Amino acid sequence: MNFSEWIHTAALAVIQGLTEFLPISSSAHLILPSQLLGWPDQGLAFDVGVHVGTLMAVIFYFRHELVTMTRAWGRSLSGNTDAEGRLAWLVILATLPALLAGFMLGGLVDHYGRSILVIAGTTLIFGVLLAWADARRTEQRQTEALGVRDACLIGLAQAVALIPGTSRSGITITAALMLGFDRQTAARFSFLLSIPVILGAGSLKGVELYQEGNGTHWLQVGVGTVIAGFSALACIHLFLKWLDRVGMKPFVIYRLLLGMLLLAVYFVNPGNLL
């Protein structure tokens, strides 16, 4: 690998690490380097690696909560359910719609949903919806108020994120805000939901990688994994720290500008784009 390829690796790993958890759509960002700069696809192994990096970041950040939730979930199997065990069950429940949607509709979305026009549209539409939800939020509910109905509705919203450009974190935070939860609860529940989703997506890609065979540049994959992990960890920490202060407005503005940029890229030369 030459120097420019290492730059591509580092940049794409940072993009993945940041956009996995910010409500700004990773799909929209990962399409731009190839369409605007002509960067080549880094390959399936790299994709698996950066997913592993982001997964390790969110697990490390919420390690204490996850240990408590896991122990409480184990106790709940014998009928002793407390608040943490209940939260663990709600995370599982909210994950099911995305898993089912991915299993049933994944191929259809891959075939029809990866158009730059689709990504531009979803980036704009769900950016506006995020702005509306944040402006109308009541912040009357916190984590202990999460119920089965809330988990189902947020889970259904997460399933919509199968459409590229929607943003998994963006749509789940939007749904939680619309249900009356405060920003911190919305973001934290969204990040907890990311763990089984990223694990599932990474596992599927890992199977594909195994079936694909060798030819992988493992040093590149390792570097990408580490960079994605550290950038994701910094992103989670800073997002939760600044969330109550800055709100969703900066991300909404960014999404609107990004969506318009994608539309401009599409209409300038649509023949060369997906």
Side-chain angles (χ1 to χ4, degrees):
M1 290 179 63
N2 56 40
F3 181 73
S4 65
E5 289 175 323
W6 283 114
I7 294 296
H8 297 171
T9 295
L12 291 173
V14 169
I15 290 172
Q16 178 65 37
L18 295 179
T19 58
E20 185 68 51
F21 298 107
L22 292 179
I24 54 177
S25 171
S26 59
S27 302
H29 287 78
L30 292 174
I31 198 173
L32 283 174
S34 61
Q35 299 291 2
L36 295 182
L37 304 175
W39 289 7
D41 188 343
Q42 297 298 305
L44 183 58
F46 181 82
D47 200 7
V48 173
V50 293
H51 274 81
V52 170
T54 55
L55 178 63
M56 292 300 100
V58 69
I59 289 176
F60 178 80
Y61 190 86
F62 290 101
R63 61 193 182 280
H64 300 302
E65 291 94 328
L66 290 172
V67 169
T68 302
M69 288 169 60
T70 302
R71 290 174 176 171
W73 179 79
R75 291 193 299 269
S76 74
L77 295 177
S78 60
N80 184 16
T81 304
D82 56 15
E84 295 298 331
R86 184 167 173 271
L87 179 59
W89 279 112
L90 292 175
V91 169
I92 294 171
L93 177 61
T95 302
L96 294 179
L99 293 180
L100 291 174
F103 178 76
M104 297 173 63
L105 304 174
L108 189 66
V109 171
D110 284 340
H111 186 71
Y112 294 105
R114 299 202 175 275
S115 161
I116 193 171
L117 193 57
V118 170
I119 294 174
T122 51
T123 298
L124 291 168
I125 291 169
F126 290 106
V128 171
L129 187 60
L130 175 61
W132 182 85
D134 194 47
R136 297 290 298 273
R137 75 190 189 283
T138 59
E139 297 202 334
Q140 295 177 340
R141 308 173 69 195
Q142 296 180 334
T143 303
E144 58 271 15
L146 275 165
V148 171
R149 173 178 174 272
D150 304 310
C152 289
L153 291 174
I154 295 171
L156 288 172
Q158 182 170 240
V160 175
L162 191 65
I163 305 172
T166 301
S167 171
R168 191 210 59 81
S169 62
I171 192 66
T172 51
I173 290 173
T174 297
L177 291 175
M178 293 173 68
L179 290 169
F181 291 97
D182 61 47
R183 287 168 172 164
Q184 287 290 330
T185 298
R188 286 180 173 274
F189 191 63
S190 172
F191 291 160
L192 289 174
L193 287 182
S194 74
I195 295 172
V197 170
I198 297 174
L199 180 61
S203 298
L204 289 176
K205 290 180 181 293
V207 172
E208 291 179 33
L209 178 61
Y210 176 78
Q211 295 172 342
E212 187 178 85
N214 53 18
T216 299
H217 196 300
W218 290 110
L219 180 58
Q220 176 203 21
V221 174
V223 170
T225 301
V226 172
I227 293 175
F230 277 108
S231 60
L233 186 62
C235 170
I236 295 170
H237 174 71
L238 294 176
F239 181 75
L240 291 175
K241 180 179 180 180
W242 293 339
L243 180 57
D244 290 327
R245 187 188 313 170
V246 303
M248 295 296 167
K249 183 179 291 186
F251 306 106
V252 170
I253 294 173
Y254 183 82
R255 284 186 71 129
L256 296 179
L257 293 174
L258 178 62
M260 289 187 287
L261 174 60
L262 289 169
L263 286 177
V265 170
Y266 176 82
F267 286 111
V268 165
N269 196 6
N272 290 335
L273 302 175
L274 296 174

